Amino acid sequence: MACTGPDPALALYARMRGQTADTLSTFEYIDRLGLQMVIDHAPGCSDPMAEVHPAYCLIELTGNGAQTDLDTRLETALEAAFEAEEIIDAVIGASEAQKDALWALRENLSEAQKPEGASIKHDVSVPVSRVADFIREATQACMDHMPGLRPCPFGHFGDGNLHFNLSRPVDMADAAFLAEYGAFNRIVHDIVHEMGGSFSAEHGIGTFKRAELRRYKDPVALELMEQIKATLDPGHLMNPGKVL
């Protein structure tokens, strides 16, 4: 489904949850820049619609009932979404091949960024009600810091998990862009923190985000974590050097 940006996409998510209930198994948001990268660089991928749109939502319904029941639920929700101007176009994967082609647009997104040069990636989460606010605010703040930047937000609206990836300006050297890693982390993660979210949603802390953990974690909670670690693993044998 095509829409004009994250705000109507969030309204669409609320509608789909309300009208399709637990059959809604996928709700992925992709902006046009990310989709264009996939079209340009992923073999076999093409634009799913005749016109270019600002953003897209990949939606899938699954259930144990008859296919006609899912079709009816989807058609009813689509009609209401069009009337409410939450979406401006839609295509349906009516066969396995068509479904796979739509999924390929999402699954190739991270890889398709590589030919576009260096990127700085963030794996964050915010309350579902704030995902549209986050995309708008973080995009504006990052572009204020570096004009010409190419933000590429995408992710799982249903659990508030977003991959907020930043591709370098087209005329900027990779090394110069990557030197701004810390600055962009601070911009993005501070906004996430203000919204009550997490700077690490899917991929954990490891060694890479230990400094961020100490910056944002409640000091009392962090101290308790360290005490539990020392009690269970006084010799630092389990996963040494990670997290704490």
Side-chain angles (χ1 to χ4, degrees), residues 1-2 32 46-53 55-57 88-91:
M1 301 185 190
R32 179 65 200 189
S46 59
D47 201 318
M49 298 176 185
E51 297 182 6
V52 172
H53 302 290
Y56 304 83
C57 297
I88 47 183
D89 201 354
V91 295

Side-chain angles (χ1 to χ4, degrees), residues 64-88:
N64 295 323
Q67 177 70 35
T68 54
D69 179 54
L70 292 179
D71 291 343
T72 300
R73 290 192 186 200
L74 180 59
E75 290 169 6
T76 301
L78 273 174
E79 290 175 5
F82 272 115
E83 290 178 3
E85 298 183 344
E86 293 161 354
I87 60 176
I88 47 183

Side-chain angles (χ1 to χ4, degrees), residues 118-120 146 149 166 168 172-180 184:
S119 61
I120 295 174
M146 182 179 288
L149 181 72
L166 307 172
R168 63 163 173 76
M172 189 175 192
D174 285 355
F177 177 64
L178 293 175
E180 294 293 312
F184 281 120

Side-chain angles (χ1 to χ4, degrees), residues 30-38 54 116 149-152 167:
I30 308 170
D31 81 339
R32 179 65 200 189
L33 175 61
L35 187 74
Q36 190 62 53
M37 289 180 181
V38 175
E116 295 287 335
L149 181 72
R150 294 176 293 164
C152 182
S167 287

